[in-house]
Amino acid sequence: MKPSIAIASLFTACSIISCPVYSQDIPEYCGTSDLTQDQEDRCDEIIDNAGVDSIHQVKLKKLNFPSNVDLLDLRFTPSSKPIEANILSVDGKGLKIKYRNESPYIYIPKDRFFSWSLGANRRANTEGIMTAISTTIFFPPLILLSPFMTKDLTTNFYFIRYLDERARPSSLILSGLREHHKIMNLLYSVSGLMAEQEQDPDILRLSQQNILDELQSKRDLLVKKLVRYNTRKPWCQYIDTDASSKYSNRYKRLTKNIDTIAEAMEIEIPSGINEKTVDQLWQDHLEKRPGLKEWSEKFPEKALSLKECPSNKL
């Protein structure tokens, strides 16, 4: 039985929970292509002993947390320079990718994983590997990646798609020469997704909503520092974004991010200063002043002019 050319169907035949257990370590090359006869025989032996039809049905060893893998390279695009990195999960609820001397880092919570994938191919040398990386399209709709073999070493590539802290679709590429199956097991355990499997859209939408709620909470704190009231027209209020302060700049950035997420989710969100509109605040003002209310009903055009707020209102 020859291993598949690509690991596109990894774990698709059964789940990790229901697959047979084979306690012996699985060689890194099992599941890749263009193996030697000895390597094929070794992988077939593991399949036979496990009583399954494919190496992808063999249960990986149970992962204990915290779990980490060092000596990885990180790329944000296929052509970007690799950065030394390691991946870590403390409790299986999220994946931390540390780089540049462990600071900064990327943290991907379980519910923000969109998918992860990998594949297999052979190249004659490391120069061939980098040529293939720079000339291959890694982004959708082509999701499969290609690990490359050089002599007895396999460079495996892992493509991760996720939502970042601003709920934007993002992706990254990890590569490494060792602990291939541990990395796969770590990605599976943290994301809850099999290779090539896409996240439930409802889970992603809930994740977007959680991010949106968090950003709105941060903006609400800034609003208290920036909101201005009109003493002559108490129904008028606005956020002073013209103020040259760090609060104003932060507010603008948060508002832009909030608007982007809201647009993607096709929902409307409040302005951030008051849940009531100017019309509602105006009516509240009239209810407290019967004389003014009576006047506004007799002279609606004048009342409309009085009600109008300055141009800097929201």
Side-chain angles (χ1 to χ4, degrees), residues 2 7 27 67 80 142 148 150 154 157 176 181 193 231 247 272 299:
K2 185 175 181 178
I7 314 182
S67 179
S80 62
L142 182 60
F148 300 94
T150 57
T154 301
F157 291 85
H181 296 287
L193 301 172
T231 55
Y247 303 119
F299 305 98

Side-chain angles (χ1 to χ4, degrees), residues 134-270:
S134 62
T135 58
T136 303
I137 299 176
F138 284 87
F139 298 95
L142 182 60
I143 299 178
L144 290 178
L145 294 190
S146 297
F148 300 94
M149 300 186 66
T150 57
K151 297 183 180 179
D152 293 330
L153 295 178
T154 301
T155 300
N156 299 287
F157 291 85
Y158 314 87
F159 177 37
I160 301 174
R161 300 166 65 198
Y162 64 100
L163 294 176
D164 67 11
E165 68 279 1
R166 298 179 184 177
R168 298 174 303 184
S170 301
S171 60
L172 56 84
I173 302 165
L174 293 170
S175 61
L177 292 170
R178 52 190 288 270
E179 299 193 89
H180 172 52
H181 296 287
K182 182 177 181 180
I183 296 172
M184 289 195 300
N185 202 1
L186 182 57
L187 291 174
Y188 173 87
S189 299
V190 173
S191 69
L193 301 172
M194 298 176 289
E196 297 299 313
Q197 180 183 359
E198 294 188 353
Q199 184 65 272
D200 185 335
D202 290 338
I203 293 179
L204 288 175
R205 185 173 179 83
L206 180 58
S207 179
Q208 285 181 306
Q209 184 63 57
N210 291 336
I211 296 172
L212 183 61
D213 293 343
E214 183 179 345
L215 294 179
Q216 285 185 279
S217 296
K218 292 180 179 180
R219 187 176 69 171
D220 289 343
L221 293 176
L222 293 176
V223 165
K224 295 178 181 179
K225 302 179 183 295
L226 296 171
V227 67
R228 302 290 182 264
Y229 299 94
N230 190 318
T231 55
R232 291 186 175 184
K233 297 182 175 184
W235 57 90
C236 294
Q237 55 182 336
Y238 68 98
I239 294 176
D240 186 8
T241 56
D242 293 332
S244 58
S245 68
K246 58 182 180 181
Y247 303 119
S248 177
N249 292 331
R250 289 177 185 172
Y251 174 84
K252 292 176 182 178
R253 288 195 298 269
L254 283 171
T255 297
K256 182 178 180 180
N257 293 333
I258 289 171
D259 290 344
T260 299
I261 299 173
E263 182 179 357
M265 297 180 68
E266 298 182 345
I267 60 175
E268 293 184 2
I269 55 175

Side-chain angles (χ1 to χ4, degrees), residues 297-311:
E297 292 172 350
K298 289 182 179 180
F299 305 98
E301 292 184 2
K302 292 183 179 180
L304 186 61
S305 178
L306 174 64
K307 173 191 168 185
E308 187 177 354
C309 291
S311 59

Side-chain angles (χ1 to χ4, degrees), residues 64-77:
N64 297 316
F65 295 100
S67 179
N68 71 287
V69 179
D70 296 314
L71 301 177
L72 293 170
D73 285 335
L74 166 67
R75 293 176 175 85
F76 294 103
T77 65

Side-chain angles (χ1 to χ4, degrees), residues 15-26:
S15 67
I16 278 189
I17 294 177
S18 61
C19 289
V21 178
Y22 188 72
S23 60
Q24 187 171 350
D25 290 337
I26 303 173

Side-chain angles (χ1 to χ4, degrees), residues 12 30 55 73 81 162 167 180 231 282:
T12 55
C30 287
I55 195 69
D73 285 335
K81 184 178 180 180
Y162 64 100
H180 172 52
T231 55
W282 166 252

Side-chain angles (χ1 to χ4, degrees), residues 116-135:
W116 63 274
S117 55
L118 64 159
N121 205 338
R122 177 185 290 276
R123 289 294 182 271
N125 50 49
T126 54
E127 291 182 2
I129 292 177
M130 299 315 298
T131 300
I133 292 173
S134 62
T135 58

